[in-house]
């Protein structure tokens, strides 16, 4: 030991012994290493499962959050609809939009209420903002609504600011109406609110329809070209109100023949 301590006489021997017993040391530590490795694998497996579960829970919670947000917005919309129903004297039926057209040029929607729910042809459909359209076809449990943006649909309106009456018509485009038959001297301004005039007996008076967004004057024509933006829309909500029909107006008197003679008018009155 003294010789090894002072002169390192056994260094080579110790190195040789270390080389010989190294495999035995590795073999002796193998069970401990395998146990530690197995424990790490188990921990990693549990951690992986926990991460996957947390991710799934996160996506589920996100979906629930989105659903709650949608329900909250829907509840707000329903409260506004109820407020709109209370403001109008007409009886209102709440309906839900079932189908919207895939054709971008088709301006009709389908509701989940029909003749079994006292829905009639000609009734007006509104949302919490204004007029959406009019019932044009009724089935027992469904009804079809022609939107005011349909190119074949027109609504009698008046300017809320001054009572100026006209007719607003659809253009077939999703967000555009045209105000017809207003002369270039008419008192109309940009951002003017157009409401139903009640003329014709179908639309109750005072319902918001559109707002003027562009006025084009061409002095070579008698009428101005005025485009408007609908106030209501089916792209924002699923629930609408169906308003009951107004009191029917008396039949419009038939026009008499051109240049009628007094005798013919007298005979006609006697026949009646």
């Amino acid at each position: 030991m003294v010789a090894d301590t002072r002169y390192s006489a056994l260094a080579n021997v110790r190195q040789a012994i270390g080389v010989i017993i190294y495999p035995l040391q590795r073999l002796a530590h193998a069970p401990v290493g395998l146990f530690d490795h197995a424990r790490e694998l188990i921990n990693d497996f549990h951690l992986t499962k926990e991460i996957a579960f947390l991710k799934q829970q996160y996506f589920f919670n996100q979906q629930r959050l989105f659903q709650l947000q949608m329900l909250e917005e829907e509840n707000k919309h329903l409260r506004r609809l109820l407020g709109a129903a209370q403001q109008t004297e007409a009886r209102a039926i709440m309906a839900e939009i079932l189908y919207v057209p895939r054709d971008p040029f088709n301006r009709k929607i389908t509701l989940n209420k029909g003749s079994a729910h006292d829905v009639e042809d000609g009734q007006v459909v509104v949302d919490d903002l204004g007029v959406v359209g009019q019932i044009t076809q009724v089935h027992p449990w469904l009804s079809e609504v022609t939107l005011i943006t349909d190119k074949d649909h027109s609504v009698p309106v008046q300017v809320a600011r001054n009572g100026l009456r006209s007719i607003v018509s659809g253009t077939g485009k999703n967000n555009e109406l045209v105000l017809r038959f207003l002369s270039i001297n008419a008192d109309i301004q940009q951002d003017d609110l157009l409401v139903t005039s009640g003329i014709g007996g179908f639309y109750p008076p005072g319902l918001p329809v559109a707002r003027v967004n562009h006025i084009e004057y061409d002095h070579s024509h008698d009428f101005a070209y005025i485009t408007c933006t609908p106030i209501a829309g089916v792209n924002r909500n699923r629930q609408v109100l169906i308003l009951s029909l107004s009191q029917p107006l008396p039949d419009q008197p038939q026009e008499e023949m051109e240049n009628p003679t007094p005798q013919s008018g007298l005979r006609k009155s006697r026949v009646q």
Side-chain angles (χ1 to χ4, degrees), residues 14-147:
R14 285 200 309 272
Q15 185 175 3
I17 294 173
V19 172
I20 293 172
I21 67 173
Y22 177 75
L24 299 177
Q25 291 177 339
R26 294 287 298 178
L27 184 62
H29 286 85
V32 178
L34 289 175
F35 177 76
D36 292 338
H37 185 64
R39 185 172 58 183
E40 291 178 359
L41 289 177
I42 293 173
N43 291 335
D44 291 344
F45 177 73
H46 286 297
L47 184 61
T48 303
K49 287 184 64 177
E50 185 175 354
I51 292 175
F53 174 76
L54 291 176
K55 285 184 177 180
Q56 182 179 1
Q57 196 68 22
Y58 170 76
F59 291 133
F60 177 75
N61 291 335
Q62 284 292 106
Q63 184 180 5
R64 290 288 303 274
L65 178 62
F66 291 149
Q67 290 177 348
L68 290 175
Q69 290 176 345
M70 291 179 60
L71 287 175
E72 183 179 0
E73 292 299 325
E74 186 172 313
N75 287 334
K76 291 180 181 178
H77 174 63
L78 291 175
R79 286 195 293 269
R80 292 193 296 265
L81 276 181
L82 292 175
Q86 293 174 357
Q87 292 177 2
T88 177
E89 297 179 356
R91 184 175 61 89
I93 303 172
M94 185 170 295
E96 186 171 331
I97 300 173
L98 292 181
Y99 307 109
V100 294
R102 296 182 179 180
D103 184 0
F105 301 101
N106 187 0
R107 300 299 169 197
K108 299 180 187 297
I109 60 174
T110 303
L111 304 182
N112 66 338
K113 297 294 174 62
S115 58
H117 308 90
D118 298 329
V119 175
E120 301 178 20
D121 188 21
Q123 286 183 298
V124 179
V125 178
V126 301
D127 64 6
D128 58 308
L129 298 178
V131 177
V132 172
Q134 190 174 22
I135 301 289
T136 52
Q137 192 170 1
V138 180
H139 304 282
W141 292 281
L142 301 173
S143 57
E144 187 178 82
V145 179
T146 299
L147 304 179

